Amino acid sequence: MESIQAIKQRFGIIGNTPALNRAIEKAIQVAPTDISVLVTGESGVGKESIPKIIHQLSHRKHNKYIAVNCGAIPEGTIDSELFGHEKGAFTGATQTREGYFEVADGGTIFLDEVGELPLTTQVRLLRVLENGEFLKVGSSKVQKTNVRIVAATNVNMFEAIEKEKFREDLYYRLSTVDIHLPPLRDRHEDIHLLFRKFASDFALKYKMPTIKLTDAAVQLLEKHRWSGNIRQLRNIAEQLSVLEQNRTISAETLKSYLPTVGANLPAVIKHTKSDTDFSSEREILYKVLFDMKADLNDLKKLTLELMKTGNTKDVEKNNESLIQKIYGNIDEDDADYEEDPIENSEVLSITEHTATLEKNDSVLDKYHFAEEIEEEETLSLQDKELELIKKSLERHSGKRKLAAAELGISERTLYRKIKQYDL
Ligand SMILES: Nc1ncnc2c1ncn2[C@@H]1O[C@H](COP(=O)(O)OP(=O)(O)O)[C@@H](O)[C@H]1O
Ligand SMILES: [Mg+2]
């Protein structure tokens, strides 16, 4: 069995990360079998060399190796590409055509971006994987083929299965062995090594002196996110090699070649994005809780002292620092308000809200209360008034003039009242 190092040399694979070595080792181990292999990893991590290794180290190496990019073939023609078609199967099918599965009989087919396969094609693929049978498009004649499949994907297959974009049975059939290639940002020690390799390749290609990075530039290179992985690193090495007059590349120069949007974030962030988000949120909550608890303890202490001594001035004097800690310095308060409007507006809005509620409540209460009293009083006043008028009229034998004089009102007013009370 060829060693991992020999394979790397033969296939031009640079790097020494344990995860990369493990992936190559797995490829070497499964190569002599006919087991289906699914290569996973982000775009640009080097997935394409795995099926090549597998094919070359297998008994199929003298037969065909066909790499198919499933994502690049239009949905309408992919069945015909893979399985062929009969003459007259569809408009334009002037001749019978052999598909890749027929051509590669005895060899290996690499299905790149397998997650992009239409569901109808997935059914055909499952059949050919299970018993080597397939039908040309427009034909009812079952054909046989002996093809080894290595598939690759950069999409989350479980998600695709959940969304019913990929058949679960096919997924398990394809991924009997899973070979995962790590993203470049997780291959820290390989980044500069790969860059030097590309720099020397491009120096040769463009017949120019090899570019070299300063220490600061190496640091920048190593902490970059490389969302496009090795493909992206290679492109940047090429651009620098061609465009830079000064063959010593500073961090500044390198920076101008690196995309800025979201790409300069430290590598760890993307790796455990949700975790990081969650933990930072949790940290903030903890901090708020701890601060609140501390404030509460301080307040308890103050209240207790106030209860014990009953002397506000003394307590204020003895606990100056504590009071300042809880309520802040009066002079500083204004500054805080300017500096941290969010925090203050929150507190403000709460106070304001409470205040408004209290005000409203009390106003409402007073209003109800006042209304009841007023009504009662009005009633009793009316009653009293009515009684007084009645008695006065009785006393003066119905003589309004005398009654009005006694009541201290004009005769006219009395007349109105008599009407009002229907006397
Ligand atoms: N370990 C490696 N050493 C050298 N070049 C590599 C390595 N891995 C990937 N590359 C190069 O990076 C580019 C992208 O690799 P590729 O296999 O097409 O990625 P993927 O299929 O995962 O998107 C290719 O040019 C390939 O030659
Ligand atoms: Mg690829």
Side-chain angles (χ1 to χ4, degrees), residues 255-308:
K255 203 172 183 176
S256 67
Y257 283 78
L258 298 175
T260 43
V261 185
N264 286 324
L265 296 170
V268 267
I269 288 193
K270 167 145 197 231
H271 195 49
T272 52
K273 194 174 181 293
S274 51
D275 277 9
T276 317
D277 285 353
F278 179 64
S279 65
S280 65
E281 202 171 293
R282 192 169 48 190
E283 262 165 37
I284 293 166
L285 282 173
Y286 275 148
K287 192 182 171 332
V288 172
L289 281 175
F290 282 136
D291 287 353
M292 267 170 71
K293 181 102 197 256
D295 275 358
L296 192 68
N297 283 338
D298 291 343
L299 281 168
K300 271 189 197 163
K301 208 172 136 194
L302 271 182
T303 319
L304 196 70
E305 218 165 303
L306 270 171
M307 273 166 27
K308 266 196 220 154

Side-chain angles (χ1 to χ4, degrees), residues 116-377:
E116 303 292 319
L117 278 183
L119 282 162
T120 47
T121 314
Q122 290 179 33
V123 179
R124 285 177 181 266
L125 182 60
L126 186 64
R127 183 168 179 189
V128 83
L129 275 164
E130 276 178 341
N131 47 29
E133 288 177 2
F134 71 97
L135 298 170
K136 275 199 179 82
V137 176
S139 163
S140 54
K141 194 176 129 238
V142 177
Q143 286 183 256
K144 281 281 220 180
T145 187
N146 177 3
V147 171
R148 203 250 182 98
I149 301 288
V150 180
T153 181
N154 59 10
V155 301
N156 184 337
M157 293 300 270
F158 291 111
E159 223 168 76
I161 292 167
E162 213 152 82
K163 286 182 186 159
E164 298 191 343
K165 285 191 175 152
F166 205 85
R167 291 180 65 106
E168 196 175 5
D169 46 8
L170 178 62
Y171 167 76
Y172 286 112
R173 192 67 189 69
L174 285 172
S175 63
T176 314
V177 168
D178 188 346
I179 296 182
H180 180 71
L181 286 171
L184 184 59
R185 75 189 79 92
D186 289 350
R187 296 171 54 181
H188 201 257
E189 64 266 47
D190 289 346
I191 298 175
H192 191 205
L193 189 67
L194 277 157
F195 184 87
R196 283 189 310 233
K197 160 79 166 82
F198 295 140
S200 105
D201 286 354
F202 291 123
L204 215 65
K205 184 173 172 186
Y206 297 112
K207 299 185 175 62
M208 286 167 98
T210 313
I211 51 164
K212 196 181 174 299
L213 298 176
T214 63
D215 288 350
V218 173
Q219 277 187 16
L220 180 64
L221 192 83
E222 287 178 341
K223 75 168 206 268
H224 189 71
R225 267 192 79 246
W226 300 114
S227 44
N229 294 293
I230 299 166
R231 183 178 289 118
Q232 187 190 8
L233 181 70
R234 193 172 177 272
N235 284 348
I236 282 171
E238 182 165 22
Q239 289 174 38
L240 285 164
S241 299
V242 175
L243 300 172
E244 285 306 311
Q245 296 280 325
N246 185 348
R247 306 309 278 176
T248 302
I249 310 295
S250 68
E252 269 304 296
T253 307
L254 174 61
K255 203 172 183 176
S256 67
Y257 283 78
L258 298 175
T260 43
V261 185
N264 286 324
L265 296 170
V268 267
I269 288 193
K270 167 145 197 231
H271 195 49
T272 52
K273 194 174 181 293
S274 51
D275 277 9
T276 317
D277 285 353
F278 179 64
S279 65
S280 65
E281 202 171 293
R282 192 169 48 190
E283 262 165 37
I284 293 166
L285 282 173
Y286 275 148
K287 192 182 171 332
V288 172
L289 281 175
F290 282 136
D291 287 353
M292 267 170 71
K293 181 102 197 256
D295 275 358
L296 192 68
N297 283 338
D298 291 343
L299 281 168
K300 271 189 197 163
K301 208 172 136 194
L302 271 182
T303 319
L304 196 70
E305 218 165 303
L306 270 171
M307 273 166 27
K308 266 196 220 154
T309 62
N311 188 331
T312 325
K313 281 266 172 296
D314 277 358
V315 174
E316 215 172 303
K317 223 168 114 192
N318 294 339
N319 295 284
E320 226 173 304
S321 63
L322 197 65
I323 291 169
Q324 194 178 322
K325 194 178 145 214
I326 306 169
Y327 297 100
N329 192 311
I330 310 295
D331 295 340
E332 276 170 13
D333 264 1
D334 285 344
D336 274 0
Y337 184 75
E338 294 284 322
E339 265 169 31
D340 203 346
I342 294 171
E343 202 176 271
N344 280 294
S345 73
E346 253 172 35
V347 176
L348 259 177
S349 73
I350 291 168
T351 343
E352 237 172 39
H353 183 65
T354 321
T356 321
L357 259 183
E358 269 174 15
K359 215 167 111 193
N360 274 347
D361 277 359
S362 61
V363 165
L364 273 178
D365 277 348
K366 258 187 214 152
Y367 183 66
H368 282 305
F369 184 67
E371 205 173 42
E372 276 165 34
I373 299 282
E374 216 165 37
E375 236 173 288
E376 227 172 71
E377 268 181 1

Side-chain angles (χ1 to χ4, degrees), residues 388-408:
L388 279 172
I389 294 168
K390 256 192 197 168
K391 280 194 178 149
S392 186
L393 282 171
E394 267 171 20
R395 260 196 305 273
H396 299 285
S397 317
K399 291 198 175 95
R400 286 179 201 163
K401 205 173 188 168
L402 292 173
E406 189 185 49
L407 292 165

